[in-house]
Amino acid sequence: MPGKLKADAVFEGGGVKGIGLVGAIAEIERAGYEFVNLAGTSAGAIAAGLLAVGYRAAEIKTKLEELDYRDFQDEGLLDKLGLPGKALSLGFELGIYEGQYFHDWFEGLLQARGKTKFGDLVTEWSNDVRYRYKLQVIAADVTDQRMLVLPRDLESFGLDPDEFPIARAVRMSMSIPLFFEPVRLKDKNDRVHIIVDGGLLSNYPVWLLDDGTSSPPWPTFGFKLVERAERTLGTADWKPI
């Protein structure tokens, strides 16, 4: 990246508020930075994923403005039966909305850049497990009650991280419990794992890109959504614990 400043970036999850990340990305780009390694959770995984395959802030903004966000509420057959159907969907499918519309939308954006699996994002540091892939996202394995760093933790499922679809990993990371159906993933013993939103365990995984030194070769910028208004702290009443 001759003539460009380098930076790693980590994006916090934040639901629909995640669209606010685009403005912050635009400012970093305007300051002359190019992103090297990227990580994120939930909505932050969406932003990181698009940047990792080559989108710029202005392009992401355009794609988001074209969206009707109600389309993400894609209902299955049970969901179309009103409140009883949604209750059944929660009981049997563990979520109301299918999440397929999001997956297909995101996959289409990746295909437009010709990068759809993690093998397309292998970096020059391919021998370093922390930085082998330009993109890392966080998901939560409810079955084993553990955090997943994707794609590297896919090896424990007997899967090849290089061949795993980026869109599916991001779909895992943004699977808001109850709202979206979780992603089901089989391990090498044919056991099914329920995978949901990574924000349950690490919504702001800035630690992922810490190289462990006090003077890294370039900075890591953390993108975190905070309220503009200051909060005032009240006095709590003493109560026994």
Side-chain angles (χ1 to χ4, degrees), residues 7-10 35-39 123 125 131 133-135 209 218:
D8 292 343
V10 178
F35 295 119
V36 183
N37 302 296
L38 296 143
T123 70
W125 306 283
Y131 304 112
Y133 301 98
K134 187 176 181 68
L135 172 68
L209 299 182
W218 52 76

Side-chain angles (χ1 to χ4, degrees), residues 10-111:
V10 178
F11 298 92
E12 182 193 36
V16 72
K17 293 188 297 183
I19 59 177
L21 294 170
V22 180
I25 294 166
E27 287 302 312
I28 295 296
E29 289 179 351
R30 194 172 292 120
Y33 284 93
E34 289 280 358
F35 295 119
V36 183
N37 302 296
L38 296 143
T41 301
S42 198
I46 299 172
L50 293 177
L51 290 169
V53 300
Y55 282 92
R56 305 279 293 178
E59 296 172 298
I60 298 174
K61 179 175 181 288
T62 298
K63 296 299 182 184
L64 294 179
E65 288 174 342
E66 292 171 353
L67 272 176
D68 183 343
Y69 291 89
R70 291 170 295 187
D71 289 337
F72 288 145
Q73 299 176 21
D74 50 346
E75 297 179 332
L77 291 175
L78 284 177
D79 306 313
K80 297 180 187 297
L81 301 177
L83 287 177
K86 285 181 169 57
L88 288 170
S89 186
L90 284 172
F92 289 105
E93 299 174 333
L94 306 180
I96 296 175
Y97 301 112
E98 305 293 300
Q100 191 62 44
Y101 181 89
F102 167 81
H103 178 278
D104 293 345
W105 170 77
F106 197 79
E107 175 72 12
L109 295 179
L110 300 180
Q111 288 177 356

Side-chain angles (χ1 to χ4, degrees), residues 74 76 78-79 84-99 140-144 171-172 174-185 192-197 200:
D74 50 346
L78 284 177
D79 306 313
K86 285 181 169 57
L88 288 170
S89 186
L90 284 172
F92 289 105
E93 299 174 333
L94 306 180
I96 296 175
Y97 301 112
E98 305 293 300
D141 181 348
V142 176
T143 303
D144 277 356
R171 166 70 176 86
M172 290 177 182
M174 53 73 68
S175 298
I176 302 170
L178 304 183
F179 189 85
F180 286 115
E181 292 179 16
V183 174
R184 288 170 168 79
L185 190 66
V192 176
H193 294 247
I194 303 298
I195 313 296
V196 301
D197 195 306
L200 289 181

